[in-house]
Amino acid sequence: MRNIQVNGDRLWRSLMEMAEIGATPKGGVCRLALTDLDRDGRRLFIRWCEEAGCQVRIDRMGNIFARRPGRNPDAPAVMTGSHLDTQPTGGKFDGAYGVLAGLEVVRTLNDLGYETEAPIEVVVWTNEEGSRFSPAMIGSGVYAGVFSLDEGLATPDNVTRVTMGAELQRIGFAGSEPCGGRKVAAYFEAHIEQGPILEAAGKPIGIVEGAQGQRWYEITVTGQEAHAGPTPMRRRKDALVGAARMIDAVNRIGHAHPPYACATVGFVQVGPNSRNTIPGRVFFTVDFRHPEDAVLTEMDRELREACREAARSAQVEVEVKEFWYFPPTPFDKDCVAAVRRAAEAQGYASQSIISGAGHDAVYMARVAPTAMVFVPCKDGISHNEVEDAKPEDLSMGCTVLLNAILERANAPAEGARR
Ligand code: HGY
Ligand code: MN
Ligand code: MN
């Protein structure tokens, strides 16, 4: 039985109901990782999965696995999923779409009484966004062996310093299942593109060939606090002036490697943050991205040189710390082909694309054959409360997800990479 289509209206209703948890006045969603709102979203997802007959398990990083049995209980599962945590000014679709598209796959197969050879598991990964707890993708990162369980649990909230482990305990999602180490037949993730390419091309489906590499930095600039009045300009060690020159350099480095380089400063703390005291300390973050590792390395070199020069000219000290790195990640060719076949079988217009954003699929690609399917979002905007997508695109993406999953869930169990 091929070319099954999902129930797009049911998917949309689920997305809208999930979006009510953490809804913001501007129509977005704020459901930061491991807050009570994240807990409430997780509980709603689990209730829906149990109503759909899934067996739900939670691992020690709070990752949730909703399993739909197949004919062969010993066959490695085909996994799909994403995340329910959001940015502070997030939208209704980033993450939630991939989770609820996975649930819609299960619901559609239930409607048809369709039994797959291998089990299917829908996953919610803990702390994909990396906003409250940094870096990003910690739940999938521990699952894939990129971070140790202890590192993951010890990761502190960027402001309050409460740890992920303590928050998992507090919200009741400190599971008992080991994190990772299980065979996985394949992993597919559906996501909005979060950029302008598919919408501009008029294509409802993106066949994601891989994701660009990322480098995150933490930069501390140290000057000298002094009085804003009696301190002559030439004697100042103004940490904010030094940081401002560095932040401008970050932007110039991004523009210096067109068309793909991305360079962002999204988090800045100034101390003592008093109107009439010269800032003595500035902490800020840098997010670099590029699809080629060599260019990421060159951007690193340029950043360190610019920071040294800005520190010299502003008479301050600077510490540049690389906080997180993952290389450009190609997805599994057979899984990418399965996504492409599923789109073509439906007659959906599609194009290949590289993901500008990081996703849990990037880490899952280290332990299982992995691919993603993208759908457009309005004006290419995401990580913004106005984030929007068309119900028909979301439905088409979910149908592609379903048929790609079926291809792998019914393939002879060729064993799976750990
Ligand atoms: O930063 C990212 O690319 C993702 O949204 N965590
Ligand atoms: Mn996401
Ligand atoms: Mn995101």
Side-chain angles (χ1 to χ4, degrees):
M1 188 192 296
R2 283 284 303 163
N3 298 340
I4 303 169
Q5 297 195 341
V6 300
N7 181 330
D9 291 342
R10 178 171 58 194
L11 171 59
W12 181 260
R13 288 195 302 275
S14 298
L15 281 163
M16 292 308 106
E17 187 170 345
M18 180 62 76
E20 288 170 16
I21 300 176
T24 63
K26 290 185 187 173
V29 178
C30 177
R31 211 171 37 227
L32 294 182
L34 305 185
T35 56
D36 291 355
L37 288 170
D38 188 17
R39 175 202 61 201
D40 296 347
R42 288 162 165 259
R43 285 177 178 169
L44 177 60
F45 170 72
I46 288 172
R47 174 163 65 82
W48 281 341
C49 289
E50 289 173 340
E51 288 166 358
C54 293
Q55 302 144 359
V56 176
R57 297 193 321 281
I58 298 164
D59 73 14
R60 297 189 60 190
M61 274 309 298
N63 298 315
I64 303 168
F65 301 87
R67 184 180 177 96
R68 181 181 193 266
R71 268 186 299 278
N72 178 354
D74 301 325
V78 174
M79 282 188 183
T80 186
S82 193
H83 59 95
L84 288 175
D85 65 301
T86 74
Q87 288 286 326
T89 52
K92 299 185 178 76
F93 305 98
D94 177 3
Y97 171 52
V99 169
L100 298 178
L103 174 60
E104 178 53 33
V105 165
V106 167
R107 285 170 166 171
T108 297
L109 295 177
N110 288 349
D111 291 347
L112 297 168
Y114 186 113
E115 189 181 32
T116 53
E117 180 63 24
I120 290 171
E121 291 190 5
V122 186
V123 189
V124 173
W125 298 109
T126 297
N127 186 51
E128 188 281 341
E129 288 294 356
S131 176
R132 183 185 176 196
F133 303 98
S134 300
M137 300 141 53
I138 292 184
S140 54
V142 174
Y143 188 90
V146 175
F147 309 114
S148 72
L149 178 64
D150 289 347
E151 284 170 330
L153 295 173
T155 303
D157 174 302
N158 284 319
V159 176
T160 67
R161 312 312 289 173
V162 67
T163 66
M164 286 186 73
E167 286 293 85
L168 282 167
Q169 292 286 350
R170 185 183 67 80
I171 67 168
F173 277 90
S176 54
E177 289 280 309
C179 189
R182 269 193 307 136
K183 284 185 179 180
V184 179
Y187 176 77
F188 292 97
E189 182 166 351
H191 209 287
I192 53 171
E193 179 203 332
Q194 301 181 293
I197 296 169
L198 292 176
E199 185 183 58
K203 302 277 176 62
I205 301 294
I207 315 287
V208 191
E209 307 254 351
Q212 60 182 351
Q214 291 190 31
R215 255 201 176 98
W216 283 16
Y217 300 84
E218 291 186 335
I219 296 181
T220 305
V221 184
T222 308
Q224 184 183 50
E225 287 154 21
H227 198 300
T231 310
M233 293 305 285
R234 71 184 183 293
R235 291 173 58 92
R236 294 181 177 211
K237 299 183 184 323
D238 188 327
L240 188 51
V241 167
R245 291 174 183 164
M246 295 171 197
I247 292 168
D248 182 57
V250 166
N251 184 261
R252 281 188 279 109
I253 291 167
H255 284 287
H257 298 277
Y260 298 117
C262 295
T264 312
V265 172
F267 184 99
V268 181
Q269 288 177 321
V270 181
N273 229 10
S274 167
R275 294 163 192 257
N276 48 1
T277 297
I278 298 167
R281 184 182 183 280
V282 174
F283 170 88
F284 68 91
T285 63
V286 175
D287 175 327
F288 274 169
R289 306 196 188 193
H290 200 279
E292 292 166 47
D293 217 18
V295 176
L296 266 182
T297 303
E298 171 57 16
M299 291 168 76
D300 176 272
R301 189 194 64 75
E302 291 169 9
L303 174 69
R304 294 176 189 278
E305 185 180 298
C307 286
R308 278 194 301 272
E309 175 49 30
R312 189 197 56 74
S313 71
Q315 304 180 89
V316 297
E317 303 296 322
V318 64
E319 182 203 15
V320 177
K321 198 172 85 176
E322 182 181 294
F323 177 73
W324 185 41
Y325 162 72
F326 64 76
T329 304
F331 288 149
D332 178 87
K333 292 200 180 327
D334 292 340
C335 286
V336 171
V339 172
R340 181 172 285 108
R341 277 191 289 273
E344 288 170 354
Q346 297 295 329
Y348 297 157
S350 66
Q351 71 169 66
S352 293
I353 192 169
I354 294 289
S355 175
H359 299 285
D360 295 303
V362 167
Y363 279 158
M364 281 305 289
R366 300 193 184 195
V367 292
T370 293
M372 294 185 76
V373 53
F374 274 178
V375 296
C377 54
K378 189 170 182 309
D379 302 330
I381 296 288
S382 182
H383 285 195
N384 185 313
E385 293 164 281
V386 303
E387 180 186 277
D388 199 1
K390 291 178 185 165
E392 57 271 26
D393 290 347
L394 297 166
S395 181
M396 283 190 270
C398 188
T399 289
V400 169
L401 180 73
L402 166 62
N403 286 285
I405 288 171
L406 285 183
E407 181 175 314
R408 297 298 293 222
N410 291 325
E414 65 270 25
R417 277 188 288 142
R418 285 177 62 83

